[in-house]
């Protein structure tokens, strides 16, 4: 791949955006490679860690050179939003680890992940209205879901940048680390916590949370499947045996 660096580990895929000369701007080539990545993770589900590395840039947005020449049929083709939706629907949990700017489509790429952690020098922004367009790759509905409608509208209307401390306060990110060198350590630590759970339970939990309107039937169906899963019995037997051991 030309735009992504991929490291496959036992329980996770580590993917680094790799267009440093373009500040990791999201172009058609990167979109195509993200589709390839999603196809792999759909067939062979693993945790995903998505990062821009620790060089002070996550993603500076969509490639404006390409965006400028797109017409209405390109918008209807859902070029960026299509791959972000696919990323959002991946079977296993996804984590974006950000260092530096996450602007426009770069921010929307991070919103498409289940969780986000960042460094203290990270900031988010949706400057699209200043370019004569809307944030058309998920921010108009994901941002309100993450931080509330009124604040999301303020950010979308003004294009104001949100620094890391504020992002944590409004729960746009889950954690902030001070130094870039701590970012990937913290990201893997969080994924290690997640990986301690049943893979099937993780998948069904994600499905239940992401179900439209958090439909209770999704929870019931997920629980019904898990109640018949052998790993559930093994984990609960282990828990009960620990409680019964003399102290």
């Amino acid at each position: 791949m030309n735009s992504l660096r991929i490291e496959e580990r036992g329980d996770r895929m580590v993917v680094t955006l790799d267009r440093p000369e373009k500040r990791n701007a999201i172009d058609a080539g990167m979109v195509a490679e993200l589709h390839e990545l999603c196809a792999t993770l759909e067939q062979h589900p693993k945790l995903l860690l998505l990062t821009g590395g620790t060089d002070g840039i996550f993603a500076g947005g969509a490639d404006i050179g390409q965006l400028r020449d797109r017409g209405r049929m390109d918008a209807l083709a859902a070029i960026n939003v299509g791959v972000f939706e696919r990323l959002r629907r991946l079977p296993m949990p996804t984590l974006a680890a950000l260092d530096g700017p996450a602007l426009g489509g770069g921010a929307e790429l991070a919103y498409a992940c289940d969780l986000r952690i960042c460094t203290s020098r990270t900031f988010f922004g949706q400057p699209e209205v200043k370019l004569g367009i809307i944030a058309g790759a998920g921010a108009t509905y994901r941002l309100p879901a993450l931080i509330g409608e009124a604040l999301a509208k303020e950010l979308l209307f003004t294009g104001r940048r949100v620094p890391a401390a504020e992002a944590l306060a409004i729960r746009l990110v889950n954690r902030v680390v001070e130094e870039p060198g701590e970012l990937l350590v913290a990201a893997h630590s969080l994924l290690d916590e997640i990986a301690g759970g049943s893979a099937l339970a993780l998948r069904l939990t994600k499905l239940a949370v992401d179900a439209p309107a958090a439909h209770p039937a999704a929870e019931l169906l997920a629980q019904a499947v898990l109640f018949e899963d052998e790993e559930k019995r093994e984990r609960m037997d282990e828990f009960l045996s620990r409680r019964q051991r003399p102290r």
Side-chain angles (χ1 to χ4, degrees):
M1 291 190 175
N2 297 316
S3 300
L4 305 177
R5 284 188 283 115
I6 297 178
E7 177 191 354
E8 189 164 1
R9 300 190 181 186
D11 62 0
R12 71 198 60 172
M13 194 86 79
V14 182
V15 177
T16 305
L17 307 182
D18 192 25
R19 295 188 74 212
E21 73 286 355
K22 295 291 187 179
R23 296 178 62 79
N24 289 339
I26 301 165
D27 67 348
M30 184 181 288
V31 168
E33 292 180 15
L34 286 169
H35 274 297
E36 288 185 46
L37 170 69
C38 288
T40 298
L41 290 173
E42 288 160 357
Q43 291 295 315
H44 307 285
K46 290 189 174 190
L47 300 172
L48 172 63
L49 171 56
L50 181 67
T51 183
T54 56
D55 295 327
I57 181 69
F58 177 68
D63 190 310
I64 301 300
Q66 291 186 0
L67 202 59
R68 179 191 55 205
D69 296 327
R70 290 179 183 171
R72 61 174 179 261
M73 298 309 292
D74 295 305
L76 292 173
I79 295 171
N80 285 5
V81 73
V83 75
F84 294 174
E85 287 291 335
R86 194 172 182 183
L87 178 67
R88 180 66 178 176
R89 293 194 303 269
L90 286 175
M92 292 289 281
T94 57
L95 170 64
L98 303 91
D99 179 38
L103 299 172
E108 290 172 302
L109 175 58
Y111 305 156
C113 292
D114 296 308
L115 305 172
R116 285 155 297 282
I117 67 172
C118 70
T119 66
S120 57
R121 64 182 179 181
T122 298
F123 57 87
F124 296 83
Q126 301 296 158
E128 286 86 353
V129 293
K130 298 182 184 301
L131 295 170
I133 57 175
I134 70 167
T140 58
Y141 52 92
R142 288 207 179 95
L143 202 51
L146 288 168
I147 64 174
E149 181 180 314
L151 183 53
K153 283 181 175 177
E154 176 195 331
L155 299 181
L156 292 166
F157 292 164
T158 65
R160 178 172 70 83
R161 293 181 173 184
V162 179
E166 182 182 357
L168 181 62
I170 63 177
R171 306 310 296 166
L172 184 57
V173 299
N174 299 84
R175 300 177 186 178
V176 175
V177 299
E178 285 300 316
E179 299 298 329
E182 301 170 357
L183 178 64
L184 296 182
V185 174
H188 283 294
S189 177
L190 179 52
L191 287 179
D192 289 343
E193 290 184 55
I194 293 170
S198 154
L200 181 58
L202 287 170
R203 291 184 66 172
L204 292 175
T205 297
K206 180 170 176 174
L207 281 173
V209 173
D210 289 345
H215 200 295
E219 285 189 3
L220 294 173
L221 179 60
Q223 196 72 297
V225 172
L226 289 167
F227 273 11
E228 296 294 327
D229 185 46
E230 185 59 33
E231 186 174 349
K232 166 246 187 182
R233 294 180 180 276
E234 293 171 359
R235 285 174 174 269
M236 290 190 177
D237 284 345
E238 183 183 352
F239 173 81
L240 291 171
S241 67
R242 286 200 307 269
R243 292 190 62 182
Q244 292 167 1
R245 290 173 193 155
R247 296 184 179 180

